[in-house]
Amino acid sequence: MTITWERGMTTVAEFLALSSALTGFSPAELRGTGMVGAYQALVVQQAGAEPLDRLTATVARGGIGPSAFGDGPERELAQAIAQLWYLGTWPGLGGSTAPERDPAFVVSARAYAEGLVWRTFGGHAPSTAAPGHGSWSHPPADPA
Amino acid sequence: MTAPGGRRWDVIVVGAGFAGSLVAKVLGDRGWRVLVLEAGAGATDAGPDRALEAYRTALVKSPNSPYPTSPSAPSPDVPDLTGRPDGGYRAHGYLVQRGPLPYASGYLRANGGTGLAWTGLAPRMHPEDFRAGDFGHGRNWPIGYQDLEPYYRAAEHELGVAADADEQREAVGLPFPDGYRFPMRAIPRSHLDHVMAEALDGRSVRDREARVRLRVTTTPHARNGVPDPGHDGGAGYRPDGGRCVGHASCVPICPSGAKYTPLRTQARWAPSVALVTDAVVTRVRIAANGRAGGVDYLAHDGRTHTVEAELVVLAAHAIENAKLLLLSDAANRSDQVGRNLMDHPVLLTWGLMKHQIGPYRGPGSTSGLEGFRFGPARARRAPFRVEIGNWGWTWALGPPDLRVAELLRTGGPDGRGLFGAELRRTLGDRVGREFAFQFEMEQDADPANRVTLDPRHRDRLGLPRPVVHYDLSDWVKRGIAAAKGVSDQLMGLLGAEDRTRFEPGPAWPGYFEHEGRPYAYRAAGHGAGTHIMGDSPATSVVDQWQRCWDHSNLYAVGCGSMPTVATSNPSLTMAALALRSADRMHQDLLARHRPIRLKRAFEGADLP
Ligand SMILES: Cc1cc2nc3c(=O)[nH]c(=O)nc-3n(C[C@H](O)[C@H](O)[C@H](O)COP(=O)(O)OP(=O)(O)OC[C@H]3O[C@@H](n4cnc5c(N)ncnc54)[C@H](O)[C@@H]3O)c2cc1C
Ligand code: SF4
């Protein structure tokens, strides 16, 4: 990873650790998607560096259950980061200043393809893989 | 291309979708000069890569999401409807809806039409389907299966259908000529189909007093599989486009080009066929003698153009064909234009299989249960075709995104969210076991289900938007109730966890109650009946050739002509009808003129 963050305290390694705790995928698996830098930048841009730092600190203290997060913004941010990884979609945050616009968006075609949800059961995001003619006849592969 | 104006064409085809592309091909091949006017932007303008990118980055991956739509030719799409919290629905798209229940299908106005986004399932109708009126519901066709049979074969060749004739003969009861072989071998079944066949084949379920034997049957597909060297009397078949490699996004876009789209037929057009995109036809000109003289269209430049031809063919989709006939005050002696709107209301049921079945792989459906389509039961309730759904709960509840969001927000022991390894494990366990049944119900032709025009609602060009009045008859509702009963038994035989649940709310605009029970339907995109075919000008709009009774050189082609929508996905039948009509158009034209190629052949005869 080449990106480092000057504004916030959260380093790339810390963001990976945070993401890993939230998603249940190892840092190596997450790094393999190639999305770490883009996602960290997006979170800082959408949520701000400080809330991310606070969440990083909470999780570093060993809290990943919802009870570890206070109600409100901290838990919402944890959910948003997990969703980002699982779907490649930013769900928007409640505090969004433009409520008339749907604040949710797909980050990129690449992010969609790298969504982790498909890997939980050994699948691929529709339109992104060509496993071969008749591949669907076989029992599913073991989840990644 | 020659300028479309300033000359007289042999044929004008309105709409470069499924039916229009086929008609243009046949007539171009016979040497006629054909002008195709297409309202949408050219799909190829932006290119397939742009469409794929648009699909992958669309938050809601609706059928129209990949395709550039033109503001001057709006299209209805699935997200146009939402259900109200206490039942009922709201429509906020292009179609104005006034019925008790919503017409829940979309279509696509782009070059290639709805056939860009379609699934690609291509079964034939059953011979019995042409005599639906004999069962007391719907109408009889003026033609029978045997009249259409050669054109079914021609359509299967043009679309490139992959299927097994022996299996279709035995399991569906379809007559084929001896030795008939489809262009390609059947598309392999999904793992889910195999699991279902193991549990269901040879068993039976109750439908009232009758028992229906189950047999998982492979569905014919218009997508590329392995060519059958025995096709066409041993000539074989060379498909255009790649082989189906399992991208699992056939609706709405196939990255490998394995799925047939009308653009494939367009690529085979003879040079005498000219296409103009961004050309919204606004009216058919009817002369004093009752013949169609040509059409008016609004072009990209915002100006109205008039073009003239010997023959005019409307192929703008069932609802748009009705709109054009109404705008032109044409073909309506029977007062049936726009009436008899039919669709396939779809009952979805969904559950979790005992083991991982590998959903979201391959085509959306590869097999079905065909035993509920025929027989005396259809006198009592609507018949239906059962599709086994390979894409989990996508159609029923939306893609896995919604399950992720739900677990994050309300999962876990305290209902306050699930994270980490538990989230990963739970998602894998559940999503990997998702499956669905799709019961596609025949809908009867009811003149009260109709498309009208209300000048108070206009589109960007100032054209009245279609106003739809739609409802389901008790016969259809009884069919839906019977299908739910069948589903309950199938779930039992499979040992599956049934998760079906219908409740009013935004996700279910098609919610209704019947005999005290809740149901909801979605729709298959199979709009039909709006310029219904029949054997009398008093009761139908077009004759058996899809020629308007009132105007001898005006044809209206597409599912709008179908007297019954039957239980099979309709486009193969529509394609066969279009090819049959094109033969008739050729005869009509020959009776007045000679095509250019024949003229050239005669001229050439003088040369040494
Ligand atoms: C999501 C989905 C899945 C489907 N899956 C299947 C399936 O698996 N099997 C099956 O059999 N069927 C399927 N269908 C149905 C199938 O797509 C239609 O039956 C078929 O496309 C109808 O063909 P058509 O030529 O009548 O209309 P279209 O294909 O819609 O073509 C009409 C054309 O006319 C143009 N047009 C409209 N108005 C004007 C105007 N005023 N001037 C000029 N041009 C105009 C449009 O832009 C369009 O190009 C599906 C439909 C949907 C929506
Ligand atoms: S499964 Fe994939 S390759 Fe096959 S038709 Fe569908 S989208 Fe195309």
Side-chain angles (χ1 to χ4, degrees):
Chain A
M1 264 309 119
T2 51
I3 300 174
T4 48
W5 293 103
E6 284 160 26
R7 267 190 299 147
M9 310 258 298
T10 303
T11 63
V12 172
E14 284 168 339
F15 182 71
L16 264 177
L18 166 69
S19 298
S20 173
L22 292 174
T23 61
F25 282 74
S26 71
E29 287 173 309
L30 297 180
R31 213 182 278 113
T33 64
M35 298 308 296
V36 182
Y39 285 173
Q40 182 165 4
L42 187 96
V43 172
V44 170
Q45 180 208 45
Q46 295 285 325
E50 244 175 83
L52 175 60
D53 294 343
R54 278 199 298 275
L55 181 63
T56 306
T58 303
V59 174
R61 283 197 299 273
I64 61 155
S67 42
F69 309 132
D71 270 326
E74 187 169 64
R75 184 154 79 222
E76 196 190 7
L77 182 58
Q79 288 162 342
I81 294 173
Q83 175 160 337
L84 186 57
W85 281 106
Y86 268 92
L87 303 171
T89 301
W90 180 253
L93 296 174
S96 164
T97 47
E100 74 280 2
R101 256 192 51 221
D102 189 346
F105 58 90
V106 178
V107 173
S108 65
R110 174 84 195 280
Y112 163 71
E114 295 294 343
L116 297 177
V117 64
W118 308 102
R119 292 172 55 179
T120 64
F121 62 96
H124 300 279
S127 86
T128 63
H133 190 63
S135 53
W136 52 88
S137 292
H138 307 297
D142 281 338
Chain B
M1 195 207 66
T2 344
R7 63 187 285 196
R8 203 176 155 81
W9 295 82
D10 294 320
V11 186
I12 292 168
V13 175
V14 179
F18 223 115
S21 298
L22 291 168
V23 166
K25 161 123 187 355
V26 173
L27 295 177
D29 286 351
R30 306 262 166 97
W32 301 106
R33 291 162 311 173
V34 183
L35 174 66
V36 183
L37 296 172
E38 165 55 48
T44 43
D45 295 354
D49 291 347
R50 272 281 295 282
L52 258 178
E53 171 86 11
Y55 166 70
R56 290 175 181 150
T57 54
L59 197 57
V60 179
K61 295 183 167 31
S62 66
N64 290 354
S65 60
Y67 302 104
T69 47
S70 142
S72 49
S75 310
D77 199 1
V78 174
D80 293 353
L81 294 170
T82 42
R84 292 181 183 279
D86 47 355
Y89 68 93
R90 242 161 45 82
H92 25 77
Y94 166 61
L95 298 181
V96 181
Q97 303 235 16
R98 299 250 173 83
L101 289 170
Y103 175 80
S105 281
Y107 51 90
L108 177 61
R109 295 213 277 170
N111 182 31
T114 318
L116 297 177
W118 77 316
T119 317
L121 302 182
R124 294 186 179 194
M125 271 172 54
H126 190 269
E128 188 186 280
D129 290 327
F130 293 84
R131 306 187 306 270
D134 294 353
F135 294 85
H137 297 276
R139 298 181 173 212
N140 282 345
W141 287 54
I143 57 172
Y145 179 90
Q146 287 309 334
D147 296 302
L148 211 50
E149 205 285 329
Y151 295 98
Y152 267 135
R153 275 180 279 143
E156 283 158 354
H157 185 82
E158 176 64 26
L159 271 56
V161 175
D164 179 337
D166 291 335
E167 187 187 18
Q168 291 292 305
R169 193 183 281 119
E170 286 164 27
V172 189
L174 291 179
F176 294 100
D178 284 345
Y180 177 64
R181 307 274 280 274
F182 280 85
M184 290 172 282
R185 299 189 203 281
I187 294 292
R189 293 175 170 206
S190 65
H191 175 61
L192 174 64
D193 296 338
H194 290 301
V195 170
M196 293 247 177
E198 198 144 299
L200 303 179
D201 276 2
R203 311 288 290 271
S204 63
V205 295
R206 244 179 325 96
D207 175 28
R208 290 264 182 123
E209 57 286 344
R211 292 204 76 88
V212 179
R213 256 177 99 76
L214 302 173
R215 173 174 171 175
V216 172
T217 304
T218 316
T219 306
H221 294 253
R223 80 186 82 252
N224 292 338
V226 178
D228 187 337
H231 174 66
D232 200 6
Y237 181 78
R238 289 226 350 238
D240 291 342
R243 190 167 290 179
C244 171
V245 286
H247 283 289
S249 58
C250 338
V251 175
I253 184 164
C254 170
S256 62
K259 179 183 77 171
Y260 171 83
T261 80
L263 299 180
R264 219 190 260 178
T265 291
Q266 291 183 15
R268 299 172 190 150
W269 279 347
S272 65
V273 181
L275 172 70
V276 180
T277 53
D278 286 300
V280 182
V281 173
T282 55
R283 150 173 107 111
V284 182
R285 291 182 160 249
I286 305 288
N289 62 4
R291 287 177 63 85
V295 304
D296 292 348
Y297 70 94
L298 270 160
H300 206 34
D301 58 13
R303 296 219 316 267
T304 297
H305 301 250
T306 300
V307 274
E308 298 182 343
E310 207 57 61
L311 200 98
V312 175
V313 183
L314 301 183
H317 181 276
I319 289 181
E320 295 296 323
N321 270 0
K323 174 174 142 183
L324 278 170
L325 288 173
L326 292 170
L327 281 174
S328 312
D329 206 5
N332 207 7
R333 190 180 355 159
S334 62
D335 186 35
Q336 296 300 302
V337 170
R339 294 186 184 273
N340 307 300
L341 175 64
M342 294 173 273
D343 195 1
H344 281 139
V346 183
L347 177 81
L348 288 149
T349 64
W350 59 98
L352 294 175
M353 217 52 133
K354 275 184 290 195
H355 305 289
Q356 295 279 308
I357 39 89
Y360 303 94
R361 294 187 301 163
S365 176
T366 35
S367 296
L369 299 166
E370 308 283 347
F372 306 92
R373 292 174 60 186
F374 330 106
R378 70 194 291 173
R380 190 186 72 243
R381 50 116 181 107
F384 48 90
R385 189 171 165 266
V386 190
E387 291 177 356
I388 297 169
N390 290 335
W391 293 348
W393 296 354
T394 295
W395 202 6
L397 295 187
D401 307 34
L402 301 184
R403 265 78 77 206
V404 172
E406 193 183 315
L407 279 178
L408 280 170
R409 276 160 193 82
T410 60
D414 60 358
R416 295 172 68 213
L418 200 58
F419 293 92
E422 233 355 66
L423 173 66
R424 179 178 182 173
R425 199 197 55 74
T426 307
L427 274 171
D429 172 57
R430 292 203 200 149
V431 181
R433 292 187 292 129
E434 289 181 358
F435 76 98
F437 287 116
Q438 302 157 190
F439 298 84
E440 308 222 343
M441 318 300 307
E442 173 162 13
Q443 179 169 29
D444 42 335
D446 176 353
N449 285 343
R450 66 185 298 199
V451 179
T452 54
L453 300 178
D454 180 340
R456 284 173 302 175
H457 302 278
R458 292 177 183 271
D459 68 16
R460 276 249 317 229
L461 295 180
L463 299 170
R465 286 155 55 196
V467 181
V468 178
H469 182 282
Y470 186 81
D471 201 0
L472 303 184
S473 68
D474 281 345
W475 181 72
V476 172
K477 289 179 178 172
R478 281 197 297 277
I480 289 178
K484 180 64 173 65
V486 168
S487 174
D488 292 348
Q489 298 172 68
L490 294 175
M491 295 280 182
L493 288 171
L494 293 167
E497 192 182 327
D498 191 349
R499 301 293 291 267
T500 311
R501 198 185 141 89
F502 302 115
E503 47 195 14
W508 291 106
Y511 177 86
F512 69 94
E513 285 163 22
H514 177 68
E515 295 181 340
R517 296 226 172 97
Y519 298 97
Y521 65 95
R522 300 213 187 282
H526 298 170
T530 50
H531 41 87
I532 203 157
M533 173 194 291
D535 52 18
S536 157
T539 54
S540 58
V541 179
V542 300
D543 66 12
Q544 60 158 306
W545 307 106
Q546 306 189 77
R547 190 170 48 188
C548 295
W549 288 110
D550 300 351
H551 315 283
S552 60
N553 65 337
L554 177 63
Y555 284 75
V557 298
C559 296
S561 297
M562 293 173 71
T564 60
V565 67
T567 50
S568 39
N569 316 54
S571 303
L572 181 79
T573 299
M574 176 197 68
L577 283 172
L579 296 177
R580 183 172 184 267
S581 292
D583 270 359
R584 183 69 213 192
M585 294 170 199
H586 175 62
Q587 297 303 328
D588 290 359
L589 287 164
L590 270 187
R592 298 174 69 90
H593 279 297
R594 298 240 139 233
I596 43 175
R597 189 173 308 157
L598 295 185
K599 267 185 242 160
R600 235 182 267 128
F602 288 125
E603 285 157 13
D606 291 339
L607 298 172

